[in-house]
Amino acid sequence: MPGQFEPLPGGGAAVALDDVEISIIRSLAVQLLELIGPGPGEDAPSDPLAELFAEGPSEPPADPVLHRLFPDAYSDPEKAPDSPAQAEERRAHSAEFRRFTENDLRAGKRENALAVIRGLDALAPVEGGAVLKLSPEESRRWLGSLNDLRLAIGSRLEIADDDDTELLYRLPDEDPRKPMVMAYLWLGGLQETLVSTLMS
């Protein structure tokens, strides 16, 4: 089980993590929470009616990582450039979509990251690490958060496609990006085994 998720009887998944792995995942999840930011009204008393009608931002985030986590709904980098009128219409549709969906998307990503942190904090330590056991729902939250973490790291590493990923394997050890690359590849392995576990 070390380094990969395996199915649990009755659903869910388990993985053995050492102390360093636990620390890395927790630290990355905390950083992701800080990047996403607090939810609307988290600093004020909760008003369910106001939250129901709260509108999110209409402009895409300036931070490239947040833009990767919350992309424009109507952009297609594979598509040929639009005419100015089509591009403007596409921007307007994206802004409208973002205004009504981004708050919920942020809340979901926050909940996923919090599930990761809570799961790790609840581990019963054994010598050298612990075995993390997740219910099916917790597994889905972990899968969402692992995906977000990889998107965030991939954005910082400027990974756009598989060719960029291949180049990462050839980075020299002294490259300052190497630790981030190792985390990116390791999280990818965890994510892949968790997907396989949930599909089995």
Side-chain angles (χ1 to χ4, degrees):
M1 188 190 309
Q4 63 180 30
F5 280 95
E6 293 184 1
L8 286 173
V15 63
L17 298 169
D18 65 31
D19 292 337
V20 173
E21 292 169 333
I22 292 168
S23 176
I24 290 170
I25 296 173
R26 191 183 189 288
S27 174
L28 290 171
V30 168
Q31 290 176 54
L32 182 65
L33 272 178
E34 291 170 354
L35 182 67
I36 292 169
E42 280 189 17
D43 298 327
S46 179
D47 179 351
L49 192 59
E51 288 176 17
L52 182 65
F53 293 103
E55 293 182 3
S58 58
E59 293 299 316
D63 185 314
V65 174
L66 285 174
H67 196 271
R68 186 90 175 260
L69 291 172
F70 305 102
D72 285 325
Y74 293 93
S75 67
D76 185 356
E78 305 288 321
K79 191 179 167 192
D82 295 333
S83 69
Q86 289 173 320
E88 184 54 41
E89 183 180 9
R90 199 161 40 80
R91 276 192 294 273
H93 288 313
S94 289
E96 189 76 355
F97 186 83
R98 182 179 295 280
R99 197 159 56 95
F100 291 109
T101 61
E102 187 167 313
N103 283 347
D104 287 342
L105 290 173
R106 282 182 184 259
K109 291 180 186 300
R110 264 192 303 275
E111 282 303 312
N112 290 345
L114 283 168
V116 168
I117 294 166
R118 289 176 186 136
L120 294 174
D121 287 350
L123 285 176
V126 294
E127 187 177 341
V131 175
L132 175 73
K133 295 181 180 180
L134 302 173
S135 69
E137 174 60 26
E138 290 168 335
S139 297
R140 285 187 286 276
R141 290 203 174 276
W142 266 74
L143 187 58
S145 200
L146 287 173
N147 186 61
D148 288 341
L149 289 172
R150 288 193 79 237
L151 284 173
I153 294 172
S155 180
R156 290 285 187 241
L157 292 170
E158 298 180 349
I159 297 171
D161 54 34
D162 290 339
D163 291 339
D164 293 335
T165 305
E166 287 301 315
L167 293 173
L168 297 179
Y169 288 101
R170 296 194 287 273
L171 280 179
D173 288 343
E174 60 272 12
D175 191 301
R177 296 171 294 171
K178 191 74 172 190
M180 201 183 303
V181 168
M182 298 305 293
Y184 177 81
L185 298 173
W186 172 60
L187 290 173
L190 279 178
Q191 184 181 16
E192 188 176 329
T193 61
L194 184 51
V195 168
S196 299
T197 296
L198 293 176
M199 293 177 67
S200 63

